[in-house]
Amino acid sequence: MWEYTETVKEHYKNPKNVGSIENADAIGEAGALACGDALKLYLKIENNIVVDAKFQTFGCGSAVASSSILTEMIIGKSLDEVEKITNKDIIEKLGGLPPEKTHCSVMGREALEDALNNYRGYKIGDNSTDKIICNCYSVTESAIREAVEHGAKTVKEVSDLTYAGSACGRCKGAIQKIIDSVIPKPVIKENELTPVQFAIKVNTVIETKILPELVKDNGGIELVDIKGKDVYVRLKGTCSSCPNSTATLKSFVEKKLKELIDNEITIFEA
């Protein structure tokens, strides 16, 4: 069972600004009835100030609460201020929403954006570079890219922030491609070892090239940790109590690892 804040409950039970505005200066829509949630937002604008806002929504209590509080947030604000409102602002104003209901705040933000675009004479699709990826909720490529740039790393996280892919799911492949294009994959240079390969090679050199030499003097060594090119080892046997242990690490162990693996390796005693 989801937990809702008192603010969410209040706006669900007693929603503010429900209805429509005759001769509205801007109308924005988000969601789709076929997918379960839909929102229509009406704005009255005078001298670049939102003087009235009303909404009609079909959806759950979180959708009603998000829409209700959004209208309160924008009435009396300039268009520049309204444009900066994000779905996270809506969630914070509600005192929080369950993660499964984040999309309700996203729907409010998308309806607001659509209304502002409508007021300025812009229509989704006019710009060929901003194509719709999720047809169920009319989520554009730029909206998905923005979600990824703000921290979404998986299709589910993008869906939580934008609602894209949460209905029929046919656009999930396209969403993943956008994620991959925004988040660069680590480039491994030719002949460069991956972190796992590097660790295996370090351990192999320690066990086959370094340990046998230390054992000759009743000493020993074990690999403890690797952080980047920093290698942490523990000396054992006579080596652990040897007053020249630091020299052994630097002049023999580190030198051998640099010689056989990577000249940037630095050895540390754990």
Side-chain angles (χ1 to χ4, degrees):
M1 189 69 179
W2 294 310
E3 293 292 331
Y4 294 100
T5 66
E6 291 302 317
T7 303
V8 172
K9 293 176 183 177
E10 172 60 26
H11 277 272
Y12 169 58
K13 294 176 182 177
N14 302 293
K16 311 298 189 294
N17 306 307
V18 178
S20 62
I21 296 177
E22 188 175 352
N23 298 320
D25 295 302
I27 299 176
E29 297 181 83
L33 287 176
C35 299
D37 288 308
L39 168 63
K40 197 166 188 177
L41 182 66
Y42 301 82
L43 304 181
K44 193 67 178 176
I45 302 168
E46 294 178 4
N47 298 319
N48 275 338
I49 302 293
V50 177
V51 296
D52 195 12
K54 294 189 182 299
F55 75 94
Q56 295 173 326
T57 188
F58 177 86
C60 63
S62 296
V64 173
S66 296
S67 303
S68 173
I69 205 162
L70 173 61
T71 58
E72 290 199 323
M73 291 170 68
I74 62 179
I75 292 176
K77 296 283 198 316
S78 69
L79 294 184
D80 287 341
E81 292 174 305
V82 167
E83 192 171 30
K84 295 176 183 177
I85 293 174
T86 67
N87 72 293
K88 291 182 179 179
D89 295 328
I90 297 172
I91 291 174
E92 289 178 2
K93 200 72 174 177
L94 288 170
L97 278 176
E100 296 85 357
K101 295 297 182 179
T102 301
H103 64 265
C104 295
S105 65
V106 172
M107 189 168 65
R109 177 64 185 88
E110 289 178 345
L112 176 59
E113 182 177 11
D114 189 46
L116 294 175
N117 288 337
N118 170 261
Y119 180 71
R120 291 163 177 160
Y122 172 87
K123 298 293 183 182
I124 291 177
D126 286 349
N127 187 343
S128 60
T129 63
D130 195 21
K131 63 181 179 181
I132 293 176
I133 300 299
C134 175
N135 289 308
C136 292
Y137 288 100
S138 299
V139 183
T140 63
E141 180 176 350
S142 63
I144 294 172
R145 286 183 176 277
E146 183 180 356
V148 177
E149 290 167 356
H150 281 78
K153 297 179 181 179
T154 66
V155 173
K156 183 182 183 305
E157 289 175 347
V158 168
S159 181
D160 288 342
L161 287 174
T162 68
Y163 221 176
S166 61
C168 71
R170 285 179 293 184
C171 60
K172 288 184 177 180
I175 295 172
Q176 185 61 58
K177 287 182 180 179
I178 294 173
I179 294 172
D180 293 340
S181 71
V182 176
I183 302 177
K185 294 182 179 179
V187 177
I188 298 176
K189 300 177 182 177
E190 187 176 357
N191 300 323
E192 182 178 356
L193 299 175
T194 66
V196 173
Q197 291 172 331
F198 180 77
I200 292 174
K201 194 160 187 177
V202 168
N203 193 53
T204 299
V205 170
I206 287 176
E207 291 187 347
T208 62
K209 303 295 183 181
I210 297 174
L211 181 59
E213 295 299 318
L214 298 180
V215 168
K216 293 178 181 179
D217 294 322
N218 297 316
I221 188 173
E222 67 174 342
L223 178 63
V224 176
D225 195 10
I226 296 177
K227 297 178 180 179
K229 298 295 177 68
D230 296 340
V231 177
Y232 296 80
V233 299
R234 181 178 293 114
L235 294 175
K236 304 174 73 175
T238 56
C239 292
S240 63
S241 56
C242 176
N244 295 319
S245 60
T246 301
T248 299
L249 286 173
K250 291 295 180 180
S251 63
F252 177 57
V253 178
E254 185 175 280
K255 182 179 179 180
K256 185 65 69 174
L257 290 173
K258 285 178 178 289
E259 175 189 331
L260 297 177
I261 302 177
D262 192 314
N263 193 51
E264 294 183 3
I265 289 177
T266 303
I267 204 78
F268 296 93
E269 186 172 7

mmCIF file with all atom_site columns, all heavy atoms in Angstrom, residues 102-115:
data_model
loop_
_atom_site.group_PDB
_atom_site.id
_atom_site.type_symbol
_atom_site.label_atom_id
_atom_site.label_alt_id
_atom_site.label_comp_id
_atom_site.label_asym_id
_atom_site.label_entity_id
_atom_site.label_seq_id
_atom_site.pdbx_PDB_ins_code
_atom_site.Cartn_x
_atom_site.Cartn_y
_atom_site.Cartn_z
_atom_site.occupancy
_atom_site.B_iso_or_equiv
_atom_site.pdbx_formal_charge
_atom_site.auth_seq_id
_atom_site.auth_comp_id
_atom_site.auth_asym_id
_atom_site.auth_atom_id
_atom_site.pdbx_PDB_model_num
ATOM 1   N N   . THR A 1 102 ? 5.412  8.964  -9.631  1.00 0.00 ? 102 THR A N   1
ATOM 2   C CA  . THR A 1 102 ? 6.174  10.111 -10.112 1.00 0.00 ? 102 THR A CA  1
ATOM 3   C C   . THR A 1 102 ? 5.656  10.604 -11.450 1.00 0.00 ? 102 THR A C   1
ATOM 4   O O   . THR A 1 102 ? 5.659  11.802 -11.749 1.00 0.00 ? 102 THR A O   1
ATOM 5   C CB  . THR A 1 102 ? 7.665  9.736  -10.251 1.00 0.00 ? 102 THR A CB  1
ATOM 6   O OG1 . THR A 1 102 ? 8.161  9.316  -8.983  1.00 0.00 ? 102 THR A OG1 1
ATOM 7   C CG2 . THR A 1 102 ? 8.486  10.914 -10.746 1.00 0.00 ? 102 THR A CG2 1
ATOM 8   N N   . HIS A 1 103 ? 5.189  9.658  -12.271 1.00 0.00 ? 103 HIS A N   1
ATOM 9   C CA  . HIS A 1 103 ? 4.721  10.032 -13.612 1.00 0.00 ? 103 HIS A CA  1
ATOM 10  C C   . HIS A 1 103 ? 3.561  11.028 -13.577 1.00 0.00 ? 103 HIS A C   1
ATOM 11  O O   . HIS A 1 103 ? 3.334  11.756 -14.544 1.00 0.00 ? 103 HIS A O   1
ATOM 12  C CB  . HIS A 1 103 ? 4.305  8.789  -14.398 1.00 0.00 ? 103 HIS A CB  1
ATOM 13  C CG  . HIS A 1 103 ? 3.136  8.062  -13.811 1.00 0.00 ? 103 HIS A CG  1
ATOM 14  N ND1 . HIS A 1 103 ? 3.293  6.995  -12.951 1.00 0.00 ? 103 HIS A ND1 1
ATOM 15  C CD2 . HIS A 1 103 ? 1.799  8.241  -13.944 1.00 0.00 ? 103 HIS A CD2 1
ATOM 16  C CE1 . HIS A 1 103 ? 2.092  6.547  -12.600 1.00 0.00 ? 103 HIS A CE1 1
ATOM 17  N NE2 . HIS A 1 103 ? 1.178  7.288  -13.188 1.00 0.00 ? 103 HIS A NE2 1
ATOM 18  N N   . CYS A 1 104 ? 2.833  11.062 -12.455 1.00 0.00 ? 104 CYS A N   1
ATOM 19  C CA  . CYS A 1 104 ? 1.705  12.004 -12.360 1.00 0.00 ? 104 CYS A CA  1
ATOM 20  C C   . CYS A 1 104 ? 2.203  13.446 -12.348 1.00 0.00 ? 104 CYS A C   1
ATOM 21  O O   . CYS A 1 104 ? 1.601  14.327 -12.960 1.00 0.00 ? 104 CYS A O   1
ATOM 22  C CB  . CYS A 1 104 ? 0.895  11.726 -11.095 1.00 0.00 ? 104 CYS A CB  1
ATOM 23  S SG  . CYS A 1 104 ? 0.089  10.102 -11.102 1.00 0.00 ? 104 CYS A SG  1
ATOM 24  N N   . SER A 1 105 ? 3.326  13.681 -11.657 1.00 0.00 ? 105 SER A N   1
ATOM 25  C CA  . SER A 1 105 ? 3.915  15.021 -11.648 1.00 0.00 ? 105 SER A CA  1
ATOM 26  C C   . SER A 1 105 ? 4.498  15.343 -13.016 1.00 0.00 ? 105 SER A C   1
ATOM 27  O O   . SER A 1 105 ? 4.461  16.499 -13.464 1.00 0.00 ? 105 SER A O   1
ATOM 28  C CB  . SER A 1 105 ? 5.006  15.126 -10.573 1.00 0.00 ? 105 SER A CB  1
ATOM 29  O OG  . SER A 1 105 ? 6.093  14.268 -10.869 1.00 0.00 ? 105 SER A OG  1
ATOM 30  N N   . VAL A 1 106 ? 5.027  14.311 -13.680 1.00 0.00 ? 106 VAL A N   1
ATOM 31  C CA  . VAL A 1 106 ? 5.578  14.499 -15.026 1.00 0.00 ? 106 VAL A CA  1
ATOM 32  C C   . VAL A 1 106 ? 4.472  14.918 -15.982 1.00 0.00 ? 106 VAL A C   1
ATOM 33  O O   . VAL A 1 106 ? 4.651  15.810 -16.829 1.00 0.00 ? 106 VAL A O   1
ATOM 34  C CB  . VAL A 1 106 ? 6.245  13.199 -15.529 1.00 0.00 ? 106 VAL A CB  1
ATOM 35  C CG1 . VAL A 1 106 ? 6.652  13.332 -16.994 1.00 0.00 ? 106 VAL A CG1 1
ATOM 36  C CG2 . VAL A 1 106 ? 7.464  12.862 -14.673 1.00 0.00 ? 106 VAL A CG2 1
ATOM 37  N N   . MET A 1 107 ? 3.310  14.291 -15.844 1.00 0.00 ? 107 MET A N   1
ATOM 38  C CA  . MET A 1 107 ? 2.187  14.623 -16.712 1.00 0.00 ? 107 MET A CA  1
ATOM 39  C C   . MET A 1 107 ? 1.786  16.085 -16.525 1.00 0.00 ? 107 MET A C   1
ATOM 40  O O   . MET A 1 107 ? 1.470  16.794 -17.494 1.00 0.00 ? 107 MET A O   1
ATOM 41  C CB  . MET A 1 107 ? 0.998  13.695 -16.419 1.00 0.00 ? 107 MET A CB  1
ATOM 42  C CG  . MET A 1 107 ? -0.139 13.817 -17.411 1.00 0.00 ? 107 MET A CG  1
ATOM 43  S SD  . MET A 1 107 ? -1.355 12.486 -17.264 1.00 0.00 ? 107 MET A SD  1
ATOM 44  C CE  . MET A 1 107 ? -2.022 12.822 -15.624 1.00 0.00 ? 107 MET A CE  1
ATOM 45  N N   . GLY A 1 108 ? 1.820  16.564 -15.280 1.00 0.00 ? 108 GLY A N   1
ATOM 46  C CA  . GLY A 1 108 ? 1.508  17.962 -15.016 1.00 0.00 ? 108 GLY A CA  1
ATOM 47  C C   . GLY A 1 108 ? 2.509  18.893 -15.679 1.00 0.00 ? 108 GLY A C   1
ATOM 48  O O   . GLY A 1 108 ? 2.128  19.890 -16.301 1.00 0.00 ? 108 GLY A O   1
ATOM 49  N N   . ARG A 1 109 ? 3.782  18.557 -15.561 1.00 0.00 ? 109 ARG A N   1
ATOM 50  C CA  . ARG A 1 109 ? 4.828  19.382 -16.172 1.00 0.00 ? 109 ARG A CA  1
ATOM 51  C C   . ARG A 1 109 ? 4.702  19.386 -17.691 1.00 0.00 ? 109 ARG A C   1
ATOM 52  O O   . ARG A 1 109 ? 4.886  20.414 -18.348 1.00 0.00 ? 109 ARG A O   1
ATOM 53  C CB  . ARG A 1 109 ? 6.216  18.858 -15.766 1.00 0.00 ? 109 ARG A CB  1
ATOM 54  C CG  . ARG A 1 109 ? 7.385  19.616 -16.421 1.00 0.00 ? 109 ARG A CG  1
ATOM 55  C CD  . ARG A 1 109 ? 7.410  21.052 -15.979 1.00 0.00 ? 109 ARG A CD  1
ATOM 56  N NE  . ARG A 1 109 ? 8.426  21.861 -16.652 1.00 0.00 ? 109 ARG A NE  1
ATOM 57  C CZ  . ARG A 1 109 ? 8.261  22.499 -17.798 1.00 0.00 ? 109 ARG A CZ  1
ATOM 58  N NH1 . ARG A 1 109 ? 7.098  22.431 -18.427 1.00 0.00 ? 109 ARG A NH1 1
ATOM 59  N NH2 . ARG A 1 109 ? 9.213  23.227 -18.317 1.00 0.00 ? 109 ARG A NH2 1
ATOM 60  N N   . GLU A 1 110 ? 4.373  18.228 -18.273 1.00 0.00 ? 110 GLU A N   1
ATOM 61  C CA  . GLU A 1 110 ? 4.246  18.136 -19.728 1.00 0.00 ? 110 GLU A CA  1
ATOM 62  C C   . GLU A 1 110 ? 3.028  18.926 -20.233 1.00 0.00 ? 110 GLU A C   1
ATOM 63  O O   . GLU A 1 110 ? 3.087  19.562 -21.292 1.00 0.00 ? 110 GLU A O   1
ATOM 64  C CB  . GLU A 1 110 ? 4.151  16.673 -20.156 1.00 0.00 ? 110 GLU A CB  1
ATOM 65  C CG  . GLU A 1 110 ? 5.459  15.923 -19.990 1.00 0.00 ? 110 GLU A CG  1
ATOM 66  C CD  . GLU A 1 110 ? 5.349  14.465 -20.379 1.00 0.00 ? 110 GLU A CD  1
ATOM 67  O OE1 . GLU A 1 110 ? 4.215  13.954 -20.505 1.00 0.00 ? 110 GLU A OE1 1
ATOM 68  O OE2 . GLU A 1 110 ? 6.393  13.825 -20.565 1.00 0.00 ? 110 GLU A OE2 1
ATOM 69  N N   . ALA A 1 111 ? 1.944  18.894 -19.476 1.00 0.00 ? 111 ALA A N   1
ATOM 70  C CA  . ALA A 1 111 ? 0.762  19.676 -19.860 1.00 0.00 ? 111 ALA A CA  1
ATOM 71  C C   . ALA A 1 111 ? 1.069  21.165 -19.787 1.00 0.00 ? 111 ALA A C   1
ATOM 72  O O   . ALA A 1 111 ? 0.633  21.950 -20.641 1.00 0.00 ? 111 ALA A O   1
ATOM 73  C CB  . ALA A 1 111 ? -0.416 19.330 -18.951 1.00 0.00 ? 111 ALA A CB  1
ATOM 74  N N   . LEU A 1 112 ? 1.833  21.555 -18.774 1.00 0.00 ? 112 LEU A N   1
ATOM 75  C CA  . LEU A 1 112 ? 2.224  22.958 -18.633 1.00 0.00 ? 112 LEU A CA  1
ATOM 76  C C   . LEU A 1 112 ? 3.110  23.376 -19.807 1.00 0.00 ? 112 LEU A C   1
ATOM 77  O O   . LEU A 1 112 ? 2.915  24.444 -20.397 1.00 0.00 ? 112 LEU A O   1
ATOM 78  C CB  . LEU A 1 112 ? 2.973  23.154 -17.311 1.00 0.00 ? 112 LEU A CB  1
ATOM 79  C CG  . LEU A 1 112 ? 3.533  24.555 -17.042 1.00 0.00 ? 112 LEU A CG  1
ATOM 80  C CD1 . LEU A 1 112 ? 2.421  25.587 -17.042 1.00 0.00 ? 112 LEU A CD1 1
ATOM 81  C CD2 . LEU A 1 112 ? 4.296  24.578 -15.718 1.00 0.00 ? 112 LEU A CD2 1
ATOM 82  N N   . GLU A 1 113 ? 4.060  22.531 -20.149 1.00 0.00 ? 113 GLU A N   1
ATOM 83  C CA  . GLU A 1 113 ? 4.947  22.840 -21.274 1.00 0.00 ? 113 GLU A CA  1
ATOM 84  C C   . GLU A 1 113 ? 4.152  22.941 -22.574 1.00 0.00 ? 113 GLU A C   1
ATOM 85  O O   . GLU A 1 113 ? 4.403  23.828 -23.396 1.00 0.00 ? 113 GLU A O   1
ATOM 86  C CB  . GLU A 1 113 ? 6.021  21.754 -21.396 1.00 0.00 ? 113 GLU A CB  1
ATOM 87  C CG  . GLU A 1 113 ? 7.029  22.010 -22.509 1.00 0.00 ? 113 GLU A CG  1
ATOM 88  C CD  . GLU A 1 113 ? 8.123  20.967 -22.558 1.00 0.00 ? 113 GLU A CD  1
ATOM 89  O OE1 . GLU A 1 113 ? 7.992  19.929 -21.866 1.00 0.00 ? 113 GLU A OE1 1
ATOM 90  O OE2 . GLU A 1 113 ? 9.100  21.174 -23.294 1.00 0.00 ? 113 GLU A OE2 1
ATOM 91  N N   . ASP A 1 114 ? 3.200  22.026 -22.735 1.00 0.00 ? 114 ASP A N   1
ATOM 92  C CA  . ASP A 1 114 ? 2.373  22.045 -23.944 1.00 0.00 ? 114 ASP A CA  1
ATOM 93  C C   . ASP A 1 114 ? 1.551  23.329 -24.010 1.00 0.00 ? 114 ASP A C   1
ATOM 94  O O   . ASP A 1 114 ? 1.373  23.916 -25.085 1.00 0.00 ? 114 ASP A O   1
ATOM 95  C CB  . ASP A 1 114 ? 1.460  20.819 -23.951 1.00 0.00 ? 114 ASP A CB  1
ATOM 96  C CG  . ASP A 1 114 ? 0.721  20.651 -25.272 1.00 0.00 ? 114 ASP A CG  1
ATOM 97  O OD1 . ASP A 1 114 ? 1.368  20.763 -26.332 1.00 0.00 ? 114 ASP A OD1 1
ATOM 98  O OD2 . ASP A 1 114 ? -0.499 20.411 -25.248 1.00 0.00 ? 114 ASP A OD2 1
ATOM 99  N N   . ALA A 1 115 ? 1.050  23.783 -22.850 1.00 0.00 ? 115 ALA A N   1
ATOM 100 C CA  . ALA A 1 115 ? 0.257  25.020 -22.809 1.00 0.00 ? 115 ALA A CA  1
ATOM 101 C C   . ALA A 1 115 ? 1.114  26.226 -23.180 1.00 0.00 ? 115 ALA A C   1
ATOM 102 O O   . ALA A 1 115 ? 0.679  27.110 -23.929 1.00 0.00 ? 115 ALA A O   1
ATOM 103 C CB  . ALA A 1 115 ? -0.346 25.209 -21.419 1.00 0.00 ? 115 ALA A CB  1
#
